Amino acid sequence: MTGLQPNNIQVESFLANFRDRLNEEGKGLVRVDYLGSHDVIPPRKVGSALKSGHFDILHSPVSYYIGMVPEGYGMMGANQPPEVLRRNGGWKILQDVFAKKAGSRLIAWGESATRFQIYLSKKPGLNRDGVPDLSGFKMRVTGTYRPLFELLGATTVNVRSRDIKEYMSRKLIDGFGFPDVMIGTLGLHDPVRYRVVPGFYRTNFAVTMNLNRWQALPKETRDLIEKIAIEYERTSVVYVGKQRIRDDEILRESGVKDIVLSGESEKKFLSMAHEALWQELRKRSASSDRLRARLYVP
Protein backbone atom coordinates (compact mmCIF):
# COMPACT_ATOMS: atom_id res chain seq x y z
CA MET A 1 0.00 0.00 0.00
CA THR A 2 1.03 3.59 -0.57
CA GLY A 3 -0.31 6.68 1.14
CA LEU A 4 -0.09 8.66 -2.09
CA GLN A 5 -1.31 7.80 -5.56
CA PRO A 6 0.94 5.81 -7.93
CA ASN A 7 1.49 8.78 -10.28
CA ASN A 8 3.30 10.63 -7.49
CA ILE A 9 7.07 10.69 -8.05
CA GLN A 10 7.79 9.40 -4.53
CA VAL A 11 5.50 6.42 -5.09
CA GLU A 12 7.04 5.80 -8.50
CA SER A 13 10.41 5.78 -6.77
CA PHE A 14 9.26 3.29 -4.13
CA LEU A 15 7.80 0.93 -6.72
CA ALA A 16 10.86 1.09 -8.96
CA ASN A 17 13.63 1.19 -6.38
CA PHE A 18 12.19 -0.96 -3.60
CA ARG A 19 9.36 -3.20 -4.77
CA ASP A 20 10.80 -4.05 -8.19
CA ARG A 21 14.35 -4.53 -6.85
CA LEU A 22 13.13 -6.75 -4.00
CA ASN A 23 11.01 -8.84 -6.35
CA GLU A 24 13.91 -9.17 -8.77
CA GLU A 25 16.50 -10.20 -6.21
CA GLY A 26 14.10 -12.16 -4.00
CA LYS A 27 12.66 -14.51 -6.62
CA GLY A 28 11.63 -17.72 -4.91
CA LEU A 29 12.08 -16.12 -1.48
CA VAL A 30 9.80 -13.09 -1.21
CA ARG A 31 7.40 -11.12 -3.39
CA VAL A 32 5.69 -7.74 -2.89
CA ASP A 33 2.40 -7.10 -4.71
CA TYR A 34 1.10 -3.53 -4.96
CA LEU A 35 -2.50 -3.21 -3.73
CA GLY A 36 -3.09 0.50 -4.37
CA SER A 37 -3.52 3.76 -2.47
CA HIS A 38 -6.50 6.11 -1.96
CA ASP A 39 -8.74 3.77 -3.88
CA VAL A 40 -8.25 1.07 -1.25
CA ILE A 41 -7.78 2.86 2.10
CA PRO A 42 -8.09 6.60 2.88
CA PRO A 43 -4.60 8.07 3.44
CA ARG A 44 -5.29 9.12 7.02
CA LYS A 45 -6.15 5.53 7.94
CA VAL A 46 -3.16 3.74 6.42
CA GLY A 47 -1.14 3.68 9.65
CA SER A 48 -3.87 2.04 11.70
CA ALA A 49 -4.70 -0.34 8.83
CA LEU A 50 -1.09 -1.53 8.69
CA LYS A 51 -1.03 -2.01 12.46
CA SER A 52 -4.22 -4.08 12.22
CA GLY A 53 -2.69 -6.32 9.56
CA HIS A 54 -4.95 -5.35 6.66
CA PHE A 55 -1.81 -5.43 4.49
CA ASP A 56 1.88 -6.09 5.06
CA ILE A 57 3.95 -3.15 3.77
CA LEU A 58 3.25 0.59 3.67
CA HIS A 59 5.01 3.45 1.88
CA SER A 60 3.60 6.74 3.14
CA PRO A 61 4.45 10.08 4.69
CA VAL A 62 4.44 9.56 8.44
CA SER A 63 2.57 12.88 8.43
CA TYR A 64 -0.55 10.90 7.48
CA TYR A 65 -0.49 9.09 10.82
CA ILE A 66 1.36 11.68 12.88
CA GLY A 67 -1.14 11.27 15.74
CA MET A 68 0.04 7.69 16.08
CA VAL A 69 3.74 8.43 15.56
CA PRO A 70 4.44 12.09 16.42
CA GLU A 71 8.14 11.31 16.04
CA GLY A 72 7.45 11.84 12.35
CA TYR A 73 7.93 15.52 13.17
CA GLY A 74 11.50 14.65 14.10
CA MET A 75 12.07 12.98 10.75
CA MET A 76 10.87 16.14 8.99
CA GLY A 77 12.99 18.30 11.28
CA ALA A 78 16.13 16.23 10.71
CA ASN A 79 19.17 17.54 8.88
CA GLN A 80 20.98 14.22 8.99
CA PRO A 81 20.34 11.56 6.28
CA PRO A 82 19.30 7.96 6.97
CA GLU A 83 22.81 6.56 6.53
CA VAL A 84 24.04 8.71 9.42
CA LEU A 85 21.10 7.71 11.61
CA ARG A 86 21.86 4.05 10.99
CA ARG A 87 25.33 4.68 12.45
CA ASN A 88 24.61 7.06 15.33
CA GLY A 89 21.72 5.22 17.01
CA GLY A 90 18.94 7.44 15.71
CA TRP A 91 17.58 4.65 13.52
CA LYS A 92 17.30 2.29 16.47
CA ILE A 93 15.30 4.87 18.44
CA LEU A 94 12.92 5.34 15.49
CA GLN A 95 12.51 1.59 15.03
CA ASP A 96 11.63 1.19 18.70
CA VAL A 97 9.07 4.01 18.41
CA PHE A 98 7.41 2.52 15.33
CA ALA A 99 7.29 -0.92 16.93
CA LYS A 100 5.70 0.39 20.12
CA LYS A 101 3.29 2.98 18.71
CA ALA A 102 2.46 1.76 15.21
CA GLY A 103 2.94 -1.99 15.56
CA SER A 104 5.33 -1.86 12.61
CA ARG A 105 8.93 -2.37 11.62
CA LEU A 106 10.61 0.73 10.18
CA ILE A 107 12.41 -0.61 7.12
CA ALA A 108 13.52 2.41 5.12
CA TRP A 109 13.32 6.19 4.83
CA GLY A 110 13.07 6.85 1.12
CA GLU A 111 13.23 10.01 -1.01
CA SER A 112 14.79 11.73 2.01
CA ALA A 113 16.53 14.54 0.10
CA THR A 114 13.17 16.05 -0.87
CA ARG A 115 12.65 19.40 0.86
CA PHE A 116 9.71 21.75 1.23
CA GLN A 117 9.57 25.28 -0.15
CA ILE A 118 7.38 28.37 0.16
CA TYR A 119 5.54 29.43 -3.00
CA LEU A 120 3.92 32.90 -3.19
CA SER A 121 1.78 34.97 -5.53
CA LYS A 122 3.34 38.24 -4.35
CA LYS A 123 6.70 39.34 -3.04
CA PRO A 124 7.04 39.55 0.76
CA GLY A 125 9.14 41.99 2.70
CA LEU A 126 12.06 40.85 4.81
CA ASN A 127 12.29 41.43 8.55
CA ARG A 128 15.38 42.76 10.32
CA ASP A 129 16.90 39.26 10.28
CA GLY A 130 16.48 39.05 6.51
CA VAL A 131 13.74 36.43 6.85
CA PRO A 132 10.48 36.69 4.85
CA ASP A 133 7.77 38.60 6.71
CA LEU A 134 4.43 36.98 5.89
CA SER A 135 2.31 39.40 7.90
CA GLY A 136 -0.85 40.05 5.91
CA PHE A 137 -0.37 36.89 3.84
CA LYS A 138 -3.03 34.18 3.84
CA MET A 139 -1.15 30.88 3.59
CA ARG A 140 -2.55 27.44 2.92
CA VAL A 141 -1.26 25.05 5.56
CA THR A 142 -1.20 21.51 6.83
CA GLY A 143 0.22 20.47 10.19
CA THR A 144 3.61 20.38 8.48
CA TYR A 145 3.73 24.09 7.71
CA ARG A 146 1.53 25.71 10.32
CA PRO A 147 4.17 26.22 13.07
CA LEU A 148 6.62 27.93 10.69
CA PHE A 149 4.08 30.05 8.82
CA GLU A 150 2.65 31.33 12.08
CA LEU A 151 6.17 32.24 13.23
CA LEU A 152 6.57 34.21 9.99
CA GLY A 153 3.39 36.15 10.77
CA ALA A 154 0.98 34.59 8.26
CA THR A 155 -2.72 33.97 8.63
CA THR A 156 -3.17 30.24 8.07
CA VAL A 157 -5.98 28.68 6.04
CA ASN A 158 -6.97 25.03 5.68
CA VAL A 159 -7.36 24.18 2.00
CA ARG A 160 -7.40 20.75 0.36
CA SER A 161 -4.33 20.17 -1.80
CA ARG A 162 -6.47 19.69 -4.90
CA ASP A 163 -7.93 23.19 -4.38
CA ILE A 164 -4.62 25.06 -4.04
CA LYS A 165 -4.49 26.24 -7.65
CA GLU A 166 -8.08 27.53 -7.62
CA TYR A 167 -7.62 29.35 -4.31
CA MET A 168 -4.38 30.94 -5.56
CA SER A 169 -5.97 31.99 -8.86
CA ARG A 170 -8.95 33.55 -7.06
CA LYS A 171 -6.57 35.29 -4.59
CA LEU A 172 -8.21 33.56 -1.64
CA ILE A 173 -4.73 32.58 -0.49
CA ASP A 174 -1.38 34.22 -1.17
CA GLY A 175 0.83 31.18 -0.99
CA PHE A 176 1.46 27.67 0.23
CA GLY A 177 4.14 25.21 1.21
CA PHE A 178 4.88 22.24 -1.03
CA PRO A 179 7.66 19.73 -1.72
CA ASP A 180 10.35 20.81 -4.17
CA VAL A 181 9.18 18.22 -6.71
CA MET A 182 5.96 17.74 -8.70
CA ILE A 183 4.78 21.35 -8.39
CA GLY A 184 5.45 21.98 -12.08
CA THR A 185 4.26 18.58 -13.18
CA LEU A 186 0.98 19.07 -11.31
CA GLY A 187 0.50 22.56 -12.73
CA LEU A 188 0.51 24.23 -9.31
CA HIS A 189 3.16 26.68 -10.49
CA ASP A 190 0.79 28.67 -12.76
CA PRO A 191 -0.34 31.25 -10.15
CA VAL A 192 3.07 31.29 -8.39
CA ARG A 193 5.34 34.30 -8.86
CA TYR A 194 7.94 33.79 -6.11
CA ARG A 195 9.68 30.87 -4.44
CA VAL A 196 11.68 31.14 -1.21
CA VAL A 197 15.08 29.44 -1.31
CA PRO A 198 16.46 27.43 0.49
CA GLY A 199 14.11 24.52 1.02
CA PHE A 200 13.47 23.34 4.56
CA TYR A 201 12.63 20.10 6.39
CA ARG A 202 12.72 16.64 4.80
CA THR A 203 9.81 14.59 3.57
CA ASN A 204 9.19 11.68 5.94
CA PHE A 205 8.29 8.90 3.51
CA ALA A 206 8.74 5.74 5.54
CA VAL A 207 8.56 2.14 4.38
CA THR A 208 7.12 0.13 7.25
CA MET A 209 5.95 -3.45 7.70
CA ASN A 210 3.41 -4.97 10.04
CA LEU A 211 5.51 -6.04 13.03
CA ASN A 212 3.99 -9.50 13.42
CA ARG A 213 4.48 -10.18 9.73
CA TRP A 214 8.08 -9.00 9.93
CA GLN A 215 8.89 -11.15 12.94
CA ALA A 216 7.41 -14.22 11.21
CA LEU A 217 9.77 -13.92 8.24
CA PRO A 218 12.87 -16.16 8.03
CA LYS A 219 16.13 -14.38 8.81
CA GLU A 220 17.28 -14.80 5.22
CA THR A 221 14.25 -12.86 4.01
CA ARG A 222 14.62 -10.12 6.62
CA ASP A 223 18.29 -9.71 5.71
CA LEU A 224 17.44 -9.35 2.02
CA ILE A 225 14.73 -6.77 2.71
CA GLU A 226 17.11 -4.69 4.81
CA LYS A 227 19.80 -4.91 2.14
CA ILE A 228 17.40 -3.66 -0.54
CA ALA A 229 16.10 -0.99 1.88
CA ILE A 230 19.55 0.55 2.35
CA GLU A 231 20.15 0.47 -1.38
CA TYR A 232 16.74 2.08 -1.97
CA GLU A 233 17.49 4.94 0.42
CA ARG A 234 20.34 5.94 -1.90
CA THR A 235 18.79 5.25 -5.29
CA SER A 236 15.50 6.98 -4.40
CA VAL A 237 17.34 10.26 -3.83
CA VAL A 238 18.83 10.10 -7.33
CA TYR A 239 15.51 9.04 -8.86
CA VAL A 240 13.56 11.96 -7.38
CA GLY A 241 16.43 14.36 -8.08
CA LYS A 242 15.89 13.93 -11.82
CA GLN A 243 12.25 14.98 -11.40
CA ARG A 244 13.38 18.01 -9.35
CA ILE A 245 15.51 19.20 -12.27
CA ARG A 246 12.51 18.95 -14.60
CA ASP A 247 10.28 20.87 -12.20
CA ASP A 248 12.90 23.59 -11.75
CA GLU A 249 12.97 24.06 -15.51
CA ILE A 250 9.16 24.42 -15.59
CA LEU A 251 9.28 27.07 -12.86
CA ARG A 252 12.03 29.03 -14.59
CA GLU A 253 10.24 28.94 -17.93
CA SER A 254 7.04 30.24 -16.30
CA GLY A 255 8.89 33.22 -14.82
CA VAL A 256 8.88 32.23 -11.14
CA LYS A 257 11.53 34.30 -9.30
CA ASP A 258 13.56 32.99 -6.39
CA ILE A 259 13.88 34.95 -3.16
CA VAL A 260 17.29 33.63 -2.15
CA LEU A 261 18.26 33.76 1.52
CA SER A 262 21.96 33.43 2.21
CA GLY A 263 24.46 33.83 5.02
CA GLU A 264 22.95 34.73 8.37
CA SER A 265 19.47 35.13 6.87
CA GLU A 266 19.54 31.56 5.61
CA LYS A 267 20.77 30.26 8.96
CA LYS A 268 18.07 32.16 10.83
CA PHE A 269 15.32 30.96 8.49
CA LEU A 270 16.34 27.30 8.72
CA SER A 271 16.79 27.56 12.49
CA MET A 272 13.25 28.97 12.83
CA ALA A 273 11.82 26.24 10.62
CA HIS A 274 13.49 23.36 12.41
CA GLU A 275 12.96 24.75 15.90
CA ALA A 276 9.22 25.06 15.22
CA LEU A 277 8.99 21.32 14.49
CA TRP A 278 11.19 20.21 17.36
CA GLN A 279 9.15 22.28 19.80
CA GLU A 280 6.00 20.65 18.42
CA LEU A 281 7.52 17.20 18.95
CA ARG A 282 8.61 18.04 22.48
CA LYS A 283 4.94 18.60 23.39
CA ARG A 284 4.04 15.13 22.11
CA SER A 285 6.93 12.75 22.70
CA ALA A 286 9.21 11.75 25.55
CA SER A 287 11.76 10.70 22.91
CA SER A 288 12.15 14.20 21.43
CA ASP A 289 15.44 15.14 23.10
CA ARG A 290 17.08 11.78 22.35
CA LEU A 291 15.97 11.96 18.73
CA ARG A 292 17.04 15.55 18.31
CA ALA A 293 20.56 14.75 19.51
CA ARG A 294 20.93 12.28 16.64
CA LEU A 295 18.71 13.65 13.86
CA TYR A 296 19.56 17.34 14.03
CA VAL A 297 22.95 19.07 14.16
CA PRO A 298 22.59 22.89 14.50
Side-chain angles (χ1 to χ4, degrees), residues 36-239:
S37 59
H38 296 191
D39 54 330
V40 179
I41 296 176
R44 301 297 172 183
K45 295 184 178 180
V46 291
S48 57
L50 175 69
K51 185 176 183 179
S52 299
H54 285 77
F55 52 89
D56 298 324
I57 295 177
L58 172 66
H59 172 270
S60 171
V62 184
S63 307
Y64 281 178
Y65 50 99
I66 202 77
M68 180 184 291
V69 187
E71 290 75 10
Y73 281 117
M75 296 173 74
M76 283 192 295
N79 60 6
Q80 301 300 299
E83 60 264 31
V84 172
L85 305 186
R86 289 179 180 274
R87 295 195 302 266
N88 72 9
W91 193 254
K92 178 62 166 59
I93 295 174
L94 286 171
Q95 284 188 321
D96 289 346
V97 164
F98 275 82
K100 180 179 179 180
K101 296 185 176 183
S104 63
R105 171 76 175 188
L106 177 61
I107 294 173
W109 182 1
E111 301 81 41
S112 64
T114 303
R115 302 292 195 268
F116 297 93
Q117 289 184 305
I118 298 175
Y119 300 92
L120 302 166
S121 61
K122 58 184 181 181
K123 189 174 184 179
L126 302 178
N127 65 21
R128 63 184 181 183
D129 293 317
V131 172
D133 181 358
L134 298 184
S135 300
F137 280 66
K138 298 187 294 293
M139 300 292 295
R140 181 262 179 179
V141 297
T142 63
T144 298
Y145 309 106
R146 187 184 303 279
L148 173 61
F149 288 176
E150 290 180 347
L151 274 178
L152 296 176
T155 298
T156 56
V157 182
N158 292 317
V159 177
R160 294 176 299 185
S161 58
R162 66 188 183 192
D163 294 331
I164 289 175
K165 186 174 180 178
E166 178 187 353
Y167 272 62
M168 286 283 285
S169 299
R170 294 172 58 192
K171 302 186 185 307
L172 298 175
I173 57 174
D174 304 304
F176 57 96
F178 202 78
D180 59 9
V181 291
M182 295 297 289
I183 181 168
T185 305
L186 294 173
L188 292 176
H189 66 290
D190 287 341
V192 172
R193 294 295 171 262
Y194 296 93
R195 174 177 65 171
V196 178
V197 177
F200 54 97
Y201 303 158
R202 292 174 180 267
T203 49
N204 54 7
F205 281 87
V207 179
T208 51
M209 186 172 188
N210 176 274
L211 188 60
N212 292 332
R213 190 75 171 102
W214 168 263
Q215 291 172 341
L217 291 174
K219 183 178 184 303
E220 181 184 8
T221 304
R222 295 198 304 267
D223 288 347
L224 175 61
I225 291 173
E226 292 194 325
K227 171 181 175 291
I228 298 299
I230 292 171
E231 175 188 299
Y232 154 68
E233 288 176 344
R234 296 191 300 267
T235 56
S236 66
V237 168
V238 177
Y239 189 96

